[in-house]
Amino acid sequence: MPAVRLFPPDRFFDRAQWSAITRPSSWRGIWLVAHAWIVSVALVGLAAWLQNPLAWLVAVIFVGGRQLGLAILMHEGAHGALHPSRRLNNFLGQWLAGAAVGSDLIAYRTYHLQHHKYTQQPEDPDLALSKPFPTTRASLWRKVVRDLSGQTFVKQRMAQFGFALVGLKAMLRGEAVQKVGASTRAGTPFNKQSDDGMTSPTIDVAGAMAVTRAVGRFLLVQAVLLGASLALYGWTPYLLWLAGLATTFQLYLRIRNIAEHACTTTGSDDPFTHARTTHAGWLARATVAPYWVNYHAEHHLFMGVPCYRLPQVHAALGRAGKHDSMTIAPSYAAVLRQVTAAG
């Protein structure tokens, strides 16, 4: 199908306003990455110091939200919105955000831009995320149990590490990969989450090598975190971080994926119908909707806008009377009710 029709920003903003809205700040992206890490360290450190199981539970609940925040900030880096310097933008997105949760900025950027180009159309590489919906409540609850029990995490990691082993063997054999064009497959092993928790059953050698490098970065970051934990306070802080990564992060990632596109219009050429914006209170912002990711319809309309300016875009669309044309949900609970039925 044809690419999604772009919406002209000059209907809402003059040239000076648009330039100011789309220009990445030289400090806000750095601060957001630092904020995710500061909050995560404070959560696991305080819980370890308190030595209270209830504090451990609270830490796991909220550190999963900051881990999702790091994935969201890698997404910002994929759009070049973390910092005006491309080199610093990529470093922040790759090493200080994506690597912590096992994602690859460069590979993610390749397939994610395809998602924007063909949103909710057959060519959309993320269509599998919304296609199963609506579903039954029983089906959704089974996924919730798999996420919170660590099954999704283990399945994803086993698949990711399996691809990495293929890439490592190719590297050790000294295989040279001729890069004909950008592959979207290297971005899929962990960046996408499907019904069974994993997408991309096959991968080429170039993609496998990309996964090998992503796993190497992930393991290096985990080693640094473990070393810092052992040096400062023993095993507990790192185990709390790992518990969040294996449980609540998986669930929040799933809910965020559902809210963005499930049960929105498929195959439409109207850019206002492709994604959902969801109102988020403080608890949602601390868990499933960090760093303004809930303004997803605005992001799809104007993907060059940094996340911290999406509320301005939302307000401008409201003043122009466009909210009625958009898919806007009052809460994440409302979205989950919408996309499920009894059974």
Side-chain angles (χ1 to χ4, degrees), residues 95-113:
W95 280 99
L96 298 186
V101 295
S103 290
D104 183 322
L105 171 74
I106 305 304
Y108 176 84
R109 176 182 287 149
T110 302
Y111 98 77
H112 184 66
L113 294 181

Side-chain angles (χ1 to χ4, degrees), residues 135-144 336-337 339-343:
T135 188
T136 64
R137 291 173 192 162
S139 175
L140 182 60
W141 274 111
R142 286 194 295 270
K143 295 176 177 64
V144 170
L336 294 179
R337 287 193 295 269
V339 304
T340 58

Side-chain angles (χ1 to χ4, degrees), residues 30-343:
I30 296 174
W31 161 243
L32 291 178
V33 173
H35 176 270
W37 281 109
I38 290 168
V39 173
S40 296
V41 170
L43 284 168
V44 299
L46 180 62
W49 178 72
L50 290 172
Q51 298 185 17
N52 184 306
L54 181 59
W56 298 345
L57 176 61
V58 170
V60 170
I61 289 171
F62 290 107
V63 80
R66 290 314 94 189
Q67 290 164 338
L68 177 59
L70 289 170
I72 297 306
L73 294 174
M74 183 203 68
H75 164 267
E76 283 291 293
H79 284 282
L82 273 180
H83 197 273
S85 164
R86 184 174 180 84
R87 179 175 294 183
L88 185 52
N89 174 86
N90 288 351
F91 174 77
L92 290 168
Q94 185 77 295
W95 280 99
L96 298 186
V101 295
S103 290
D104 183 322
L105 171 74
I106 305 304
Y108 176 84
R109 176 182 287 149
T110 302
Y111 98 77
H112 184 66
L113 294 181
Q114 288 291 106
H115 163 63
H116 275 274
K117 186 176 181 179
Y118 297 108
T119 309
Q120 292 297 95
Q121 298 191 34
E123 298 87 348
D124 181 359
D126 273 357
L127 189 60
L129 298 176
S130 58
K131 192 174 182 179
F133 295 94
T135 188
T136 64
R137 291 173 192 162
S139 175
L140 182 60
W141 274 111
R142 286 194 295 270
K143 295 176 177 64
V144 170
V145 169
R146 290 201 295 267
D147 291 343
L148 291 181
S149 64
Q151 294 177 64
T152 303
F153 175 82
V154 171
K155 188 170 186 176
Q156 287 181 335
R157 292 302 170 191
M158 288 180 64
Q160 187 187 34
F161 281 32
F163 291 142
L165 183 59
V166 172
L168 180 61
K169 289 178 179 178
M171 290 176 175
L172 294 176
R173 289 194 300 268
E175 290 190 23
V177 178
Q178 183 179 2
K179 191 169 182 181
V180 177
S183 169
T184 64
R185 284 179 287 179
T188 59
F190 186 65
N191 295 316
K192 290 173 65 176
Q193 188 182 48
S194 66
D195 233 12
D196 60 1
M198 195 63 211
T199 302
S200 187
T202 61
I203 198 161
D204 54 24
V205 174
M209 290 182 178
V211 175
T212 303
R213 291 188 287 271
V215 167
R217 288 188 292 269
F218 172 73
L219 293 177
L220 179 59
V221 170
Q222 301 310 307
V224 170
L225 293 175
L226 176 58
S229 176
L230 293 175
L232 296 173
Y233 211 88
W235 284 92
T236 304
Y238 180 73
L239 291 178
L240 292 173
W241 162 272
L242 187 62
L245 198 61
T247 60
T248 52
F249 166 69
Q250 301 293 155
L251 177 62
Y252 301 158
L253 179 64
R254 187 182 297 279
I255 293 173
R256 189 217 76 185
N257 282 335
I258 291 170
E260 288 178 349
H261 295 288
C263 297
T264 61
T265 304
T266 302
S268 168
D269 64 355
D270 180 0
F272 279 93
T273 66
H274 295 153
R276 177 186 287 105
T277 282
T278 306
H279 291 300
W282 73 267
L283 182 59
R285 294 195 303 272
T287 54
V288 298
Y291 307 127
W292 304 279
V293 72
N294 53 304
Y295 291 102
H296 202 63
E298 292 80 2
H299 171 64
H300 269 266
L301 286 167
F302 308 114
M303 68 177 180
V305 176
C307 62
Y308 43 83
R309 296 200 184 108
L310 289 174
Q312 291 177 246
V313 174
H314 179 78
L317 292 170
R319 289 192 296 271
K322 290 295 183 180
H323 283 179
D324 289 342
S325 304
M326 300 167 63
T327 302
I328 300 178
S331 67
Y332 281 84
V335 172
L336 294 179
R337 287 193 295 269
Q338 179 187 349
V339 304
T340 58

